């Protein structure tokens, strides 16, 4: 694991206001830094409107109220827009409903046994949610084929677990910077369970379970390449990023990842028996979502917090 002195510098502030007026007007952002091992970040062709995009997205201009009653993660953090246009808003987390399964798998394993494949645990979570009247969701894309689902948070689940196992201190430090403090015993539980998980089903297997149980409107079919230049961490209850209005303003050359951490608590309660387990699963969802960012995105990927 990384030295704790180093992990505190993984995410660094990139905006330094010159005076009080500018401090009030400018949106602070961070970059993932050298701990990010992916490739998705702003390129040379995205510099022209990068500052404008960061400012407007970081102010929450494109975060809208969810009005369909969905309060748990259903849509993925993926920033690509749905080709067919407008769709109902719902909370975002890595892999959509997959975040709820992972939270259980990294903690109590009430739905995911120690020796079971990931599709077994995922199926149990999906069926529990739908049988109790909750929506489930996720996505595929135009690149999906064979064992590939088209969702990076799904297809690269082994890499996410490896990152949690090897760089748990990094994730804990970043979670703290975002205002989420993880107790020692909870941190150790999550890292140990990530290390012990050796059996992973294919992304396509998990996608087939989702498609068999979810409403069509919550299985998004995305298109195009990744153009995310900002990751928004939304702590404002009841809202999420409206990618339709964002695309209308910036086109498809500028996109944003979005994770609605405010939705983690309600999701955790659905698979927990007490408040202690809720706290454990909120922490696990946080680690998984951060690991997704560090595995998929590059060092210059910007991060803003929507409060």
């Amino acid at each position: 694991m990384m030295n704790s002195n180093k992990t505190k510098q993984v995410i660094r502030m990139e905006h330094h206001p010159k005076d009080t007026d500018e401090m009030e007007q400018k949106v602070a952002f961070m970059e993932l830094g050298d701990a990010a091992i992916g490739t998705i970040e702003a390129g040379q062709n995205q510099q022209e409107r990068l500052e404008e995009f960061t400012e407007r997205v970081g102010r929450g201009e494109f975060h809208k109220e969810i009005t369909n009653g969905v309060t748990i993660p259903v849509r993925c953090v993926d920033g690509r827009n749905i080709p067919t246009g407008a769709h109902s808003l719902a909370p975002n987390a890595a892999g959509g409903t997959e975040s709820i399964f992972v939270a259980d798998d990294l903690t109590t394993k009430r739905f995911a046994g120690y020796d079971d494949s990931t599709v077994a645990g995922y199926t149990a979570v999906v069926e529990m949610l739908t049988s109790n009247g909750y929506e489930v969701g996720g996505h595929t894309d135009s690149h999906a084929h064979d064992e590939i689902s088209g969702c990076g948070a799904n297809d690269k689940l082994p890499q996410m677990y490896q990152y949690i196992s090897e760089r748990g201190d990094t994730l804990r430090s970043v979670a703290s910077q975002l205002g989420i403090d993880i107790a020692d015993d909870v941190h150790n539980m999550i890292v140990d369970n990530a290390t012990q998980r050796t059996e992973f089903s294919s992304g396509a297997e998990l996608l087939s379970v989702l498609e068999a149980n979810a409403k069509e409107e919550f299985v998004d079919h995305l298109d195009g390449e990744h153009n995310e230049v900002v990751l928004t961490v939304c702590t404002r209850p009841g809202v999420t990023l409206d990618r339709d209005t964002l695309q209308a303003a910036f086109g498809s050359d500028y996109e944003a990842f979005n994770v609605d951490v405010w939705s983690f608590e309600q999701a955790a309660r659905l698979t927990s028996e007490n408040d202690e387990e809720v706290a454990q699963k909120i922490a696990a969802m946080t680690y998984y979502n951060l690991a997704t960012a560090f595995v998929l995105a590059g060092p210059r990927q910007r991060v803003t917090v929507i409060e």
Side-chain angles (χ1 to χ4, degrees):
M1 292 185 182
M2 294 183 63
N3 182 285
S4 60
N5 291 329
K6 294 181 180 179
T7 59
K8 292 183 182 302
Q9 300 175 12
V10 170
I11 283 190
R12 57 184 182 274
M13 299 302 298
E14 287 296 314
H15 173 67
H16 303 281
K18 297 178 181 179
D19 54 48
T20 303
D21 289 339
E22 187 181 357
M23 185 179 296
E24 292 175 350
Q25 295 171 4
K26 289 288 185 179
V27 168
F29 67 85
M30 303 172 280
E31 290 187 344
L32 289 181
D34 294 338
I37 60 177
T39 59
I40 304 173
E41 60 184 16
Q44 289 301 315
N45 63 329
Q46 294 170 302
Q47 297 303 311
E48 182 178 359
R49 301 186 71 186
L50 180 58
E51 301 307 324
E52 177 195 358
F53 186 87
T54 303
E55 286 293 318
R56 295 176 66 182
V57 172
R59 286 199 302 267
E61 178 179 339
F62 301 99
H63 279 73
K64 308 298 181 183
E65 183 181 0
I66 298 170
T67 59
N68 58 11
V70 180
T71 58
I72 62 174
V74 170
R75 299 198 187 280
C76 187
V77 300
D78 196 308
R80 293 173 295 172
N81 206 51
I82 302 173
T84 53
H87 61 282
S88 60
L89 300 179
N92 297 177
T97 300
E98 194 156 344
S99 275
I100 303 176
F101 155 68
V102 171
D104 175 73
D105 191 41
L106 292 176
T107 55
T108 62
K109 290 187 177 291
R110 182 159 290 113
F111 295 87
Y114 285 89
D115 299 322
D116 292 335
S117 64
T118 50
V119 74
Y122 181 67
T123 300
V125 169
V126 167
E127 291 181 347
M128 180 277 293
L129 291 171
T130 55
S131 66
N132 284 282
Y134 292 95
E135 303 294 350
V136 295
H139 78 89
T140 181
D141 75 1
S142 57
H143 306 299
H145 63 87
D146 300 326
E147 299 301 301
I148 304 300
S149 73
C151 171
N154 180 11
D155 294 321
K156 294 190 176 184
L157 192 59
Q159 290 94 315
M160 312 306 179
Y161 273 59
Q162 182 179 1
Y163 197 98
I164 294 170
S165 173
E166 296 177 354
R167 303 197 186 189
D169 286 351
T170 298
L171 302 177
R172 188 182 190 181
S173 174
V174 175
S176 178
Q177 292 180 55
L178 296 174
I180 303 173
D181 293 323
I182 313 297
D184 289 345
D185 59 335
V186 175
H187 169 80
N188 293 335
M189 173 195 295
I190 294 169
V191 171
D192 288 347
N193 280 332
T195 303
Q196 293 171 18
R197 164 63 69 186
T198 58
E199 297 293 327
F200 292 90
S201 308
S202 70
E205 288 180 279
L206 271 66
L207 175 63
S208 67
V209 171
L210 179 66
E211 291 178 328
N213 289 275
K215 294 179 182 177
E216 185 176 354
E217 67 174 297
F218 291 121
V219 183
D220 297 331
H221 292 261
L222 307 181
D223 194 13
E225 302 301 322
H226 285 280
N227 289 309
E228 292 94 344
V229 298
V230 171
L231 162 62
T232 54
V233 179
C234 182
T235 65
R236 187 185 304 167
V239 305
T240 191
L241 180 64
D242 184 345
R243 294 186 175 86
D244 292 325
T245 59
L246 182 61
Q247 186 178 54
F250 286 92
S252 59
D253 291 335
Y254 294 84
E255 297 170 339
F257 291 113
N258 178 73
V259 55
D260 297 311
V261 297
W262 61 265
S263 67
F264 289 1
E265 180 177 354
Q266 175 63 17
R269 291 196 178 281
L270 298 180
T271 60
S272 301
E273 293 186 347
N274 52 57
D275 288 344
E276 181 180 6
E277 290 186 6
V278 171
Q280 293 169 355
K281 292 181 180 181
I282 291 173
M285 273 187 269
T286 301
Y287 276 31
Y288 170 51
N289 278 263
L290 288 174
T292 298
F294 280 109
V295 169
L296 297 181
R300 293 181 298 173
Q301 180 64 237
R302 296 181 171 189
V303 182
T304 65
V305 179
I306 307 295
E307 298 178 332

